[in-house]
Amino acid sequence: MRTVRTLMTAVLAGAGLFAMTGTALADTDTPSPSASADAAGPTEAGTSFRTATAIKPDQPATAGASTGDYLYWVLPVDAGQRATVKAKVTLPESARHGAATWQLDVYDGLRRRQACMYGAQTKAAAKDAGSVELSCTLRTVRSWAEPWANDPLPGSYYIRLTVVDLPQEDLGLPVRAEVRASTADTGGAHAVDGALAAPLVPGASTATPQADASTPPGKTAAAHEPDGGWSSGRWSDRWLWTAAGGILAALAGIAGYQLTRGSGRPSRVPPGA
């Protein structure tokens, strides 16, 4: 009976730990109220890295522009998050002279172009198409990386939208762009040891981003902090899984000892045997 009680205790303890881990993961994946999809977003875009318009995750952004313009937005992405950027370009209704190819690029705080894991980053719009939609899902942002690596690191991420190929006669035609970026927490499976001294937020401190003197009013060269501040990899649910595994291993060892050691009393040998 004692062995059975020990095993039951181990099972219940393990179930409690994994339930706690699942709750932590669920809380992590729950979007914050401030990141509501209904939040009003900016209605203009920057024309360079320095004048990029700051947006928040899940905040829609729109801008009117001319075909051939470079449009820039910037948002904060923290360690352990995977960002997905989607853009839609509404093309002019006036007659166009041919197809146009649009491209969506994402750069990190060091202005290194980041590769997309998947998504239509470049797409051609036919001559009579009314719109074109692009998307890019980045790799999970790491809290630390080797200097020679091109891994995405926490900080500002710049979104650039522009046309890369079209007939010369179509330059300057009016277009309307819509951009939305979302971030998802990937959990401790992607966590690494180490952390940056500060997130990569060019031209500003990590506490209060400020625009430089050449930045027009209402725009900023760096993204604001994420809701709740920068984590920089200080905490991940990998700690919960490690602790749960260690406790379950200890309980399994105790249960195995109870099963193999027997009753603990020497058997009686009849006299004269």
Side-chain angles (χ1 to χ4, degrees):
M1 292 296 294
R2 184 168 56 186
T3 301
V4 174
R5 286 196 301 270
T6 302
L7 291 174
M8 289 297 295
T9 302
V11 172
L12 291 175
L17 285 171
F18 283 108
M20 180 178 62
T21 304
T23 302
L25 286 173
D27 293 342
T28 301
D29 293 336
T30 302
S32 60
S34 61
S36 172
D38 297 331
T43 56
E44 60 180 358
T47 56
S48 67
F49 286 102
R50 291 189 306 167
T51 61
T53 298
I55 60 174
K56 295 181 179 180
D58 296 318
Q59 183 182 43
T62 59
S66 298
T67 304
D69 289 345
Y70 285 86
L71 305 180
Y72 287 83
W73 295 268
V74 59
L75 79 155
V77 185
D78 207 354
Q81 294 181 336
R82 179 177 294 167
T84 297
V85 181
K86 296 183 179 181
K88 178 180 179 181
V89 182
T90 302
L91 302 173
E93 298 179 356
S94 57
R96 303 193 299 273
H97 296 82
T101 302
W102 289 80
Q103 184 165 305
L104 178 68
D105 296 311
V106 183
Y107 298 82
D108 66 5
L110 296 178
R111 300 186 184 179
R112 303 176 301 179
R113 184 175 178 271
Q114 293 293 318
C116 301
M117 291 179 58
Y118 48 84
Q121 186 179 5
T122 302
K123 186 179 290 186
K127 178 180 178 180
D128 56 349
S131 63
V132 58
E133 297 186 12
L134 308 167
S135 66
C136 174
T137 297
L138 301 177
R139 295 171 294 168
T140 299
V141 173
R142 295 163 57 92
S143 60
W144 179 84
E146 295 288 348
W148 46 263
N150 194 35
D151 296 321
L153 297 171
S156 300
Y157 277 76
Y158 295 89
I159 303 167
R160 186 178 74 179
L161 178 65
T162 189
V163 64
V164 294
D165 185 30
L166 82 164
Q168 189 71 19
E169 297 82 1
D170 291 341
L171 282 173
L173 292 177
V175 294
R176 181 171 180 80
E178 302 174 31
V179 168
R180 183 189 293 268
S182 61
T183 57
D185 292 316
T186 58
H190 297 271
V192 297
D193 294 328
L196 293 179
L200 302 178
V201 183
S205 66
T206 57
T208 307
Q210 299 289 338
D212 57 28
S214 62
T215 303
K219 296 197 176 183
T220 176
H224 299 292
E225 290 185 359
D227 295 330
W230 297 100
S231 69
S232 298
R234 290 190 300 266
W235 167 259
S236 74
D237 55 10
R238 184 177 62 171
W239 292 97
L240 295 176
W241 289 100
T242 302
I247 294 175
L248 288 178
L251 292 174
I254 294 173
Y257 174 74
Q258 292 289 341
L259 289 172
T260 57
R261 78 186 185 99
S263 62
R265 297 178 181 176
S267 60
R268 293 183 178 180
V269 180

